[in-house]
mmCIF file of all heavy atoms in Angstrom:
data_model
loop_
_atom_site.group_PDB
_atom_site.id
_atom_site.type_symbol
_atom_site.label_atom_id
_atom_site.label_comp_id
_atom_site.label_asym_id
_atom_site.label_seq_id
_atom_site.Cartn_x
_atom_site.Cartn_y
_atom_site.Cartn_z
ATOM 1 N N ASP A 10 -4.022 1.194 -2.882
ATOM 2 C CA ASP A 10 -3.904 -0.268 -2.738
ATOM 3 C C ASP A 10 -4.017 -0.913 -4.101
ATOM 4 O O ASP A 10 -4.891 -0.574 -4.894
ATOM 5 C CB ASP A 10 -5.027 -0.801 -1.791
ATOM 6 C CG ASP A 10 -4.988 -0.149 -0.400
ATOM 7 O OD1 ASP A 10 -4.154 -0.681 0.380
ATOM 8 O OD2 ASP A 10 -5.752 0.737 -0.115
ATOM 9 N N VAL A 11 -3.209 -1.886 -4.354
ATOM 10 C CA VAL A 11 -3.189 -2.695 -5.612
ATOM 11 C C VAL A 11 -3.446 -4.146 -5.288
ATOM 12 O O VAL A 11 -2.766 -4.754 -4.498
ATOM 13 C CB VAL A 11 -1.887 -2.516 -6.372
ATOM 14 C CG1 VAL A 11 -1.991 -3.297 -7.702
ATOM 15 C CG2 VAL A 11 -1.673 -1.056 -6.727
ATOM 16 N N ASP A 12 -4.471 -4.684 -5.910
ATOM 17 C CA ASP A 12 -4.841 -6.066 -5.722
ATOM 18 C C ASP A 12 -5.390 -6.674 -7.027
ATOM 19 O O ASP A 12 -6.335 -6.176 -7.570
ATOM 20 C CB ASP A 12 -5.859 -6.204 -4.598
ATOM 21 C CG ASP A 12 -6.290 -7.652 -4.287
ATOM 22 O OD1 ASP A 12 -5.411 -8.521 -4.316
ATOM 23 O OD2 ASP A 12 -7.499 -7.845 -4.034
ATOM 24 N N ASP A 13 -4.744 -7.727 -7.478
ATOM 25 C CA ASP A 13 -5.207 -8.382 -8.725
ATOM 26 C C ASP A 13 -5.400 -7.392 -9.878
ATOM 27 O O ASP A 13 -6.430 -7.391 -10.577
ATOM 28 C CB ASP A 13 -6.482 -9.164 -8.468
ATOM 29 C CG ASP A 13 -6.265 -10.331 -7.546
ATOM 30 O OD1 ASP A 13 -5.140 -10.857 -7.490
ATOM 31 O OD2 ASP A 13 -7.263 -10.733 -6.904
ATOM 32 N N SER A 14 -4.410 -6.569 -10.085
ATOM 33 C CA SER A 14 -4.374 -5.564 -11.203
ATOM 34 C C SER A 14 -5.344 -4.445 -11.093
ATOM 35 O O SER A 14 -5.507 -3.629 -11.991
ATOM 36 C CB SER A 14 -4.630 -6.274 -12.543
ATOM 37 O OG SER A 14 -3.586 -7.303 -12.848
ATOM 38 N N ILE A 15 -6.005 -4.298 -9.928
ATOM 39 C CA ILE A 15 -6.936 -3.205 -9.683
ATOM 40 C C ILE A 15 -6.318 -2.298 -8.583
ATOM 41 O O ILE A 15 -6.008 -2.787 -7.500
ATOM 42 C CB ILE A 15 -8.345 -3.724 -9.277
ATOM 43 C CG1 ILE A 15 -8.880 -4.640 -10.350
ATOM 44 C CG2 ILE A 15 -9.244 -2.539 -8.934
ATOM 45 C CD1 ILE A 15 -10.139 -5.382 -9.906
ATOM 46 N N ALA A 16 -6.116 -1.046 -8.946
ATOM 47 C CA ALA A 16 -5.689 -0.082 -7.919
ATOM 48 C C ALA A 16 -6.853 0.686 -7.396
ATOM 49 O O ALA A 16 -7.772 1.148 -8.106
ATOM 50 C CB ALA A 16 -4.703 0.927 -8.598
ATOM 51 N N THR A 17 -6.878 0.839 -6.089
ATOM 52 C CA THR A 17 -7.982 1.623 -5.393
ATOM 53 C C THR A 17 -7.342 2.751 -4.662
ATOM 54 O O THR A 17 -6.437 2.577 -3.822
ATOM 55 C CB THR A 17 -8.723 0.785 -4.399
ATOM 56 O OG1 THR A 17 -9.352 -0.359 -5.080
ATOM 57 C CG2 THR A 17 -9.845 1.630 -3.708
ATOM 58 N N ILE A 18 -7.687 4.008 -5.129
ATOM 59 C CA ILE A 18 -7.204 5.202 -4.439
ATOM 60 C C ILE A 18 -8.336 5.737 -3.545
ATOM 61 O O ILE A 18 -9.458 6.005 -4.006
ATOM 62 C CB ILE A 18 -6.783 6.311 -5.493
ATOM 63 C CG1 ILE A 18 -5.661 5.835 -6.348
ATOM 64 C CG2 ILE A 18 -6.482 7.611 -4.780
ATOM 65 C CD1 ILE A 18 -5.318 6.749 -7.494
ATOM 66 N N THR A 19 -8.063 5.815 -2.274
ATOM 67 C CA THR A 19 -9.063 6.207 -1.262
ATOM 68 C C THR A 19 -8.678 7.581 -0.627
ATOM 69 O O THR A 19 -7.555 7.700 -0.167
ATOM 70 C CB THR A 19 -9.176 5.143 -0.150
ATOM 71 O OG1 THR A 19 -9.459 3.843 -0.750
ATOM 72 C CG2 THR A 19 -10.293 5.496 0.826
ATOM 73 N N ILE A 20 -9.621 8.448 -0.645
ATOM 74 C CA ILE A 20 -9.443 9.724 0.066
ATOM 75 C C ILE A 20 -9.987 9.530 1.486
ATOM 76 O O ILE A 20 -11.155 9.144 1.681
ATOM 77 C CB ILE A 20 -10.251 10.855 -0.679
ATOM 78 C CG1 ILE A 20 -9.913 10.901 -2.142
ATOM 79 C CG2 ILE A 20 -10.001 12.227 -0.008
ATOM 80 C CD1 ILE A 20 -10.825 11.785 -3.002
ATOM 81 N N ASP A 21 -9.152 9.792 2.452
ATOM 82 C CA ASP A 21 -9.451 9.365 3.822
ATOM 83 C C ASP A 21 -9.142 10.521 4.802
ATOM 84 O O ASP A 21 -8.085 10.494 5.444
ATOM 85 C CB ASP A 21 -8.624 8.104 4.134
ATOM 86 C CG ASP A 21 -8.926 7.541 5.527
ATOM 87 O OD1 ASP A 21 -9.861 8.004 6.179
ATOM 88 O OD2 ASP A 21 -8.249 6.559 5.915
ATOM 89 N N ARG A 22 -10.054 11.401 4.892
ATOM 90 C CA ARG A 22 -9.962 12.537 5.846
ATOM 91 C C ARG A 22 -11.348 12.780 6.396
ATOM 92 O O ARG A 22 -11.940 13.876 6.214
ATOM 93 C CB ARG A 22 -9.369 13.752 5.183
ATOM 94 C CG ARG A 22 -8.876 14.835 6.210
ATOM 95 C CD ARG A 22 -8.451 16.107 5.440
ATOM 96 N NE ARG A 22 -7.923 17.101 6.387
ATOM 97 C CZ ARG A 22 -8.044 18.427 6.184
ATOM 98 N NH1 ARG A 22 -8.576 18.851 5.092
ATOM 99 N NH2 ARG A 22 -7.552 19.279 7.109
ATOM 100 N N ALA A 23 -11.870 11.785 7.063
ATOM 101 C CA ALA A 23 -13.298 11.760 7.453
ATOM 102 C C ALA A 23 -13.669 12.994 8.327
ATOM 103 O O ALA A 23 -14.742 13.528 8.208
ATOM 104 C CB ALA A 23 -13.630 10.477 8.184
ATOM 105 N N GLU A 24 -12.758 13.421 9.169
ATOM 106 C CA GLU A 24 -13.060 14.526 10.068
ATOM 107 C C GLU A 24 -13.334 15.831 9.349
ATOM 108 O O GLU A 24 -13.985 16.768 9.878
ATOM 109 C CB GLU A 24 -11.972 14.718 11.146
ATOM 110 C CG GLU A 24 -10.672 15.341 10.633
ATOM 111 C CD GLU A 24 -9.725 14.309 9.934
ATOM 112 O OE1 GLU A 24 -10.179 13.165 9.719
ATOM 113 O OE2 GLU A 24 -8.622 14.674 9.605
ATOM 114 N N LYS A 25 -12.844 15.957 8.098
ATOM 115 C CA LYS A 25 -13.095 17.143 7.245
ATOM 116 C C LYS A 25 -13.878 16.756 6.013
ATOM 117 O O LYS A 25 -13.862 17.463 5.026
ATOM 118 C CB LYS A 25 -11.758 17.756 6.843
ATOM 119 C CG LYS A 25 -11.012 18.399 7.971
ATOM 120 C CD LYS A 25 -11.657 19.741 8.354
ATOM 121 C CE LYS A 25 -10.792 20.481 9.335
ATOM 122 N NZ LYS A 25 -11.395 21.812 9.673
ATOM 123 N N ARG A 26 -14.617 15.647 6.107
ATOM 124 C CA ARG A 26 -15.478 15.196 4.995
ATOM 125 C C ARG A 26 -14.674 15.091 3.699
ATOM 126 O O ARG A 26 -15.116 15.347 2.622
ATOM 127 C CB ARG A 26 -16.670 16.112 4.778
ATOM 128 C CG ARG A 26 -17.620 16.133 6.007
ATOM 129 C CD ARG A 26 -18.850 16.867 5.818
ATOM 130 N NE ARG A 26 -19.794 16.211 4.891
ATOM 131 C CZ ARG A 26 -20.501 15.137 5.201
ATOM 132 N NH1 ARG A 26 -20.386 14.590 6.393
ATOM 133 N NH2 ARG A 26 -21.318 14.610 4.317
ATOM 134 N N ASN A 27 -13.405 14.593 3.867
ATOM 135 C CA ASN A 27 -12.485 14.368 2.753
ATOM 136 C C ASN A 27 -12.118 15.624 2.004
ATOM 137 O O ASN A 27 -11.755 15.524 0.844
ATOM 138 C CB ASN A 27 -13.011 13.251 1.834
ATOM 139 C CG ASN A 27 -12.901 11.885 2.458
ATOM 140 O OD1 ASN A 27 -12.284 11.669 3.492
ATOM 141 N ND2 ASN A 27 -13.529 10.918 1.793
#
Side-chain angles (χ1 to χ4, degrees):
D10 298 281
V11 179
D12 181 38
D13 293 335
S14 300
I15 301 170
T17 301
I18 297 173
T19 304
I20 308 169
D21 184 5
R22 196 185 181 210
E24 72 279 8
K25 289 288 188 176
R26 301 186 68 75
N27 288 349

